[in-house]
Every structure is written in C-alpha cells, then in structure tokens.
Amino acid sequence: MTTKWTNVKSMKTGRGVATGIASDLGRFAVTTMEIPWKLTRDKIGGKPAAVIMVESMELEVLERELQALPQVDTIVTIGGGQACDFGKYLAWKRGCRVVSVPTVVSVNAFVTPSAGVRSNHRVQYLGSVSPDPLVIDYDLIRTAPTNLNIAGVGDILSIHTGTFDWEVAHRAGKDVHNFDADDVCRARAILDDIDRNAAEIRSVSDQGIQAIVDAYITINTICLPKDHYRTEEGSEHFLFYELEERLQRPFIHGEIVGLGIYLMSRLQKNRPEWITSLMDRVGLQYQPAHLKIRRQDLAASLRNLRCYTETAKLWYSNVQENEITGEWIDEHLKHLQFPA
Ligand SMILES: [Zn+2]
C-alpha cells in the first residue's frame, strides 16, 4: 500500500469513518484545536492520555509539549494543517504511530511526511512520518467552511503555472531540478481530473473531497521521490511570497495562490481563460476583493516581482523572461475585483 499512496500507509474513507477510530489504539494523545475537538471528542472512542491544543508551531513550544507528553502508543491528529503538523512532529520524535484525521482539506499537511515548524521566524520542514491510517471522513470535513475546503485546489491548480515555469527554466538552461518531462505530463493529468470533478468540488460532495485528496496523493507520488515540488510551485507562489512579505499578514494559502495563477498564467500566455474558468467552476475565491488586497499593493508587488525573485534567489521562471510593465499591470488588473 505504501507504494500506491507514497507516504500514506493506509487510508480509511467514507461518511462517519472517524467514529470509533481511537477505540483500538492503545494509549493515545490527541493534537487538535478547539472546534475540531468539540466535533470529534465524543465520537472517536476511547479516552486520550493527553489532549494538546495547538496554538503555535514554534519549535520551542513543540519541544515543551514533547517533554510533557506522557508515554503513548499513538498520536491522533484532528484538525487542519497545524494540528496535523504538530502531531507529526511529536510522533516522529517519539517514534510512534500517527493517525491523521483532517477536518478540512485546505492544505496538504495530512499527506506530506514532514512538519512545518517555525524557528527564528523561518519555517523548516522536519521529520518523516506516515499516517496509518489517514482518515477521510466526508461528513466531518464538510463541517469546515466551504471556501476553506475549496481552497485545497489552489496548490493543485498551481501545476498549470508551475510546470510551465519549470519548462521555461529548462529551456533557458537555468533549471536546478533535473527537468523531467514525464513528471510534467503526470502532473498535468491531475489538472484534467480536477476539471472533470469541478462541480463536485464546488459542492464539496464526497467525490469532490476525494478528488482533492487523491490529487494531493498523486502529486506526492511525483514529488516526494524527487525531493522537490517544482511541478506545483512556480511564479504563482513567488507572487504570494512577495505579497506576504509586503503586507505582513497571513492568507488562506490556496486562495492567494489562485490569484497568482490568474496573473502568472497571463504573463506566461499559458491558456489563462481555461485555468481562470476552472478556478471559477470549482468556486475558488481568488479575487483581491475577497483577499482584501488593495490595487496599489498588488501593482507594487507585481512591479517588484522580478527583483524580489532574484534577491530571494527563487527558481528561474517566466518572471525573468517577461517584463511586467506598468501597461501590463493596467491591462491585467482591469478585470479583477478590488476592495471598495
Ligand atoms: Zn503552496
């Protein structure tokens, strides 16, 4: 099973499948947050030896909780990306089993082996664990806000602009990742799966949730062996990094990546109408009005993007080849909606 799902050892999917999962785990601890714990505490069965409410991903907080953690056989992670990463870190350090119960599919933390941990204002990816099982309870996931679940497609649709940028780097002789046309081809096939399931994703149906989970797992089968995410990370992410640094506030990852896809597919002249229509059909919220990004900030970010990617030594992309002029900005921000 490990080969099929890469790092996911086993998977349990269906409506209500989180019910009773903890009844045969031996001694277990839970990493969670207030809302997901309220939803699941009476359903999972068994009584945890410890419940850790995740408030921070700072390394010193993780280490403190690790010291205080009683002896357990299993860590059960219940919640979104942080609850999941926190539990992965503890399970990795203790060398114990981890069961992952995502309550939202907005980020891919529940299928990646390492945990995003903060130290000295930087995020590091530490450890390597595999959920056994990964529990995809459709009913539980549907309790999360719809736009958060749909935001899960942002890091999948970024394959469209990410693979294009990888090709650009390869053609320019600037690729640092050993370009693989087969990886690009397999990644683009995931976009077709999302296209076929667009209406299901929009309505957050069982099939729509599963399409997002399957896409994450397939991306991992491509990316984990290579140890890089070049097929889904390109200039659309670079624009987000610039904006995040400029505006100094968090965003819903998949949504701001969506704005990056909108703009960078246009800079690339890479089927922008198709990918925009797909973002609209799945219901991804990527408009600056929704993200509360003012026109002048987005324009400044775009003007600075080439300089930013070069200073930060980000991968070579279409940003190095196509100049973002004032005229280009006027033309391409015209059809976006901005805050009043
Ligand atoms: Zn991403």
Side-chain angles (χ1 to χ4, degrees):
M1 278 203 283
T2 3
T3 42
K4 187 176 169 209
W5 291 321
T6 56
N7 72 307
V8 178
K9 275 198 190 123
S10 63
M11 185 156 56
K12 216 173 161 178
T13 57
R15 294 186 183 183
V17 290
T19 304
I21 44 141
S23 56
D24 61 348
L25 296 178
R27 265 171 79 79
F28 68 97
V30 173
T31 58
T32 189
M33 286 186 184
E34 204 184 318
I35 295 171
W37 184 232
K38 216 181 246 172
L39 286 164
T40 53
R41 58 185 302 167
D42 299 327
K43 286 187 191 155
I44 58 168
K47 193 172 159 25
V51 177
I52 297 163
M53 289 292 164
V54 177
E55 283 165 7
S56 155
M57 289 304 294
E58 291 290 333
L59 186 58
E60 51 179 75
V61 177
L62 282 152
E63 282 296 322
R64 201 166 46 219
E65 292 291 351
L66 185 67
Q67 297 310 317
L69 185 70
Q71 200 59 46
V72 291
D73 305 302
T74 310
I75 303 280
V76 182
T77 80
I78 302 175
Q82 290 201 358
C84 181
D85 275 0
F86 206 103
K88 287 196 292 189
Y89 183 84
L90 298 181
W92 172 59
K93 282 288 193 160
R94 283 286 176 93
C96 67
R97 177 180 173 187
V98 64
V99 174
S100 283
V101 187
T103 56
V104 59
V105 290
S106 56
V107 290
N108 65 354
F110 58 89
V111 293
T112 58
S114 55
V117 174
R118 282 189 177 271
S119 70
N120 301 320
H121 308 286
R122 294 193 71 109
V123 178
Q124 291 173 276
Y125 290 87
L126 300 176
S128 181
V129 294
S130 310
D132 183 18
L134 168 63
V135 180
I136 302 294
D137 184 328
Y138 303 132
D139 289 334
L140 186 58
I141 288 167
R142 263 190 296 271
T143 62
T146 303
N147 76 302
L148 285 187
N149 278 322
I150 292 174
V153 296
D155 261 350
I156 302 165
L157 298 184
S158 61
I159 288 169
H160 181 68
T161 39
T163 52
F164 189 97
D165 280 331
W166 198 12
E167 288 175 331
V168 167
H170 174 60
R171 273 199 300 271
K174 307 272 189 186
D175 174 37
V176 293
H177 288 113
N178 213 353
F179 179 79
D180 188 328
D182 189 48
D183 284 356
V184 169
C185 191
R186 286 163 69 205
R188 287 182 179 158
I190 302 171
L191 294 176
D192 297 331
D193 287 337
I194 297 295
D195 195 328
R196 270 192 297 278
N197 282 292
E200 301 289 340
I201 291 169
R202 188 188 189 92
S203 62
V204 199
S205 69
D206 295 358
Q207 192 184 323
I209 292 169
Q210 196 58 47
I212 292 175
V213 173
D214 289 345
Y216 281 155
I217 290 173
T218 310
I219 290 172
N220 275 352
T221 64
I222 298 168
C223 296
L224 289 178
K226 301 286 174 76
D227 207 24
H228 67 76
Y229 277 80
R230 192 54 162 123
T231 48
E232 60 117 1
E233 186 176 348
S235 53
E236 74 298 318
H237 273 76
F238 305 161
L239 179 65
F240 151 54
Y241 303 148
E242 208 285 345
L243 276 166
E244 193 181 42
E245 214 165 290
R246 176 177 297 277
L247 301 175
Q248 295 288 315
R249 63 180 168 90
F251 292 95
I252 294 168
H253 186 76
E255 295 184 342
I256 187 122
V257 166
L259 177 61
I261 296 167
Y262 179 95
L263 289 162
M264 292 302 111
S265 64
R266 283 164 172 76
L267 189 66
Q268 294 170 337
K269 300 190 177 66
N270 172 23
R271 298 169 70 202
E273 295 80 15
W274 173 71
I275 196 70
T276 304
S277 100
L278 182 51
M279 291 198 292
D280 289 336
R281 280 183 287 130
V282 296
L284 181 67
Q285 305 253 31
Y286 59 88
Q287 289 288 347
H290 171 79
L291 294 160
K292 299 190 173 62
I293 297 173
R294 299 180 305 172
R295 191 192 181 284
Q296 62 263 44
D297 290 329
L298 184 55
S301 182
L302 286 163
R303 276 196 299 274
N304 186 43
L305 189 57
R306 181 182 287 182
C307 177
Y308 174 81
T309 58
E310 286 167 3
T311 310
K313 296 192 169 56
L314 300 175
W315 304 326
Y316 189 90
S317 73
N318 85 106
V319 171
Q320 270 68 47
E321 300 199 344
N322 296 313
E323 199 185 341
I324 301 179
T325 61
E327 207 180 0
W328 188 92
I329 292 170
D330 286 344
E331 177 62 25
H332 292 92
L333 300 195
K334 212 160 55 187
H335 303 290
L336 285 168
Q337 295 149 19
F338 288 93

